[in-house]
Amino acid sequence: GVADRKIDWEKVNAKLPYGRDKESKRSRKKMFRSFDPNGNGYLSLAELDKGVRDVLQLGDVFDSKPAIMRAYKAARNKGKQKSKVSGDYVEWREFRWFLKSLRQYFEYWVMFDRVDTDDDNRIEYGEFKKAVPIMKKWGVKIEDPKKTFAEIDSNGGGKILFIEFCDWAIAKSLDLDDDIDEASDSD
């Protein structure tokens, strides 16, 4: 999985221009146009997926479909719906948030993959319990693994899915210990 690879976080950060400065905005506009081949101003999930793969060229680093899906939903939820189709697409005004979310969900995907040692895209209790020391490095101390596992497994399926892990990671402000964080840029 992705957890076994050495990730060049500087390269990842450089390819995601979500800052509020002029250069980031210029880069973002160019990127948005390259993600939007038909020029309609709306990016579908398929266009975002293709753009991340072909434009950002981070595919060798991430099998990132789950991260792209979460960032897509976050960006759509962030924007105000201006037309009948707005809720189904990411528009220019949501694109910065998509990139910023994508960076965060990439990080969560790496964490998730490090805990999911059998690479089945689900975390079983045994994997979770074994990863408690790793998660301490990410900023969360788990006293009762069984109880914490049950809290994260919100659908009660007996396994932690990526969406459940993300919800928990966000609530606990998890931070990967070996990535390179960007300078803070408030929303």
Side-chain angles (χ1 to χ4, degrees):
V2 71
D4 304 325
R5 298 184 202 131
K6 180 74 179 128
I7 296 167
D8 183 348
W9 286 102
E10 284 186 32
K11 177 182 170 187
V12 172
N13 291 341
K15 289 190 174 203
L16 297 171
Y18 57 78
R20 293 185 181 274
D21 58 284
K22 282 182 180 170
E23 184 54 40
S24 292
K25 189 171 184 177
R26 199 171 15 261
S27 297
R28 204 165 44 250
K29 274 190 173 162
K30 184 178 176 189
M31 184 182 293
F32 186 87
R33 285 192 297 272
S34 63
F35 273 49
D36 185 21
N38 59 10
N40 68 357
Y42 297 101
L43 300 178
S44 67
L45 179 57
E47 288 170 327
L48 289 165
D49 188 48
K50 185 177 183 335
V52 169
R53 187 186 69 233
D54 299 349
V55 177
L56 296 179
Q57 297 180 335
L58 293 171
D60 58 325
V61 178
F62 296 102
D63 171 16
S64 55
K65 283 197 188 298
I68 294 167
M69 172 60 93
R70 298 272 60 87
Y72 164 74
K73 288 188 175 207
R76 283 187 11 234
N77 292 339
K78 183 83 171 169
K80 308 236 183 319
Q81 201 162 334
K82 300 235 179 184
S83 74
K84 289 179 181 156
V85 297
S86 290
D88 297 326
Y89 299 95
V90 171
E91 297 174 60
W92 164 249
R93 60 192 161 68
E94 301 158 330
F95 191 59
R96 186 185 84 82
W97 188 254
F98 169 77
L99 296 175
K100 187 175 173 102
S101 299
L102 187 61
R103 168 61 177 83
Q104 189 61 54
Y105 284 111
F106 276 162
E107 189 172 334
Y108 293 149
W109 181 245
V110 171
M111 290 176 180
F112 182 84
D113 196 58
R114 286 183 183 171
V115 178
D116 175 30
T117 54
D118 68 2
D119 291 330
D120 67 350
N121 293 332
R122 298 175 299 201
I123 298 171
E124 286 86 23
Y125 176 69
E127 292 171 315
F128 183 79
K129 189 175 177 191
K130 223 184 281 179
V132 167
I134 297 167
M135 290 185 275
K136 187 175 182 181
K137 291 180 190 172
W138 300 338
V140 66
K141 189 173 182 198
I142 298 169
E143 302 287 344
D144 184 346
K146 199 171 217 73
K147 182 180 174 207
T148 303
F149 183 89
E151 288 168 2
I152 300 168
D153 179 23
S154 60
N155 72 1
K159 297 177 192 301
I160 297 172
L161 306 175
F162 181 62
I163 179 73
E164 293 170 321
F165 183 83
C166 289
D167 290 344
W168 177 72
I170 290 165
K172 297 294 182 184
S173 300
L174 294 192
D175 185 30
L176 195 61
D177 58 324
D178 59 356
D179 72 325
I180 296 170
D181 293 316
E182 283 285 300
S184 180
D185 119 296
S186 56
D187 305 329

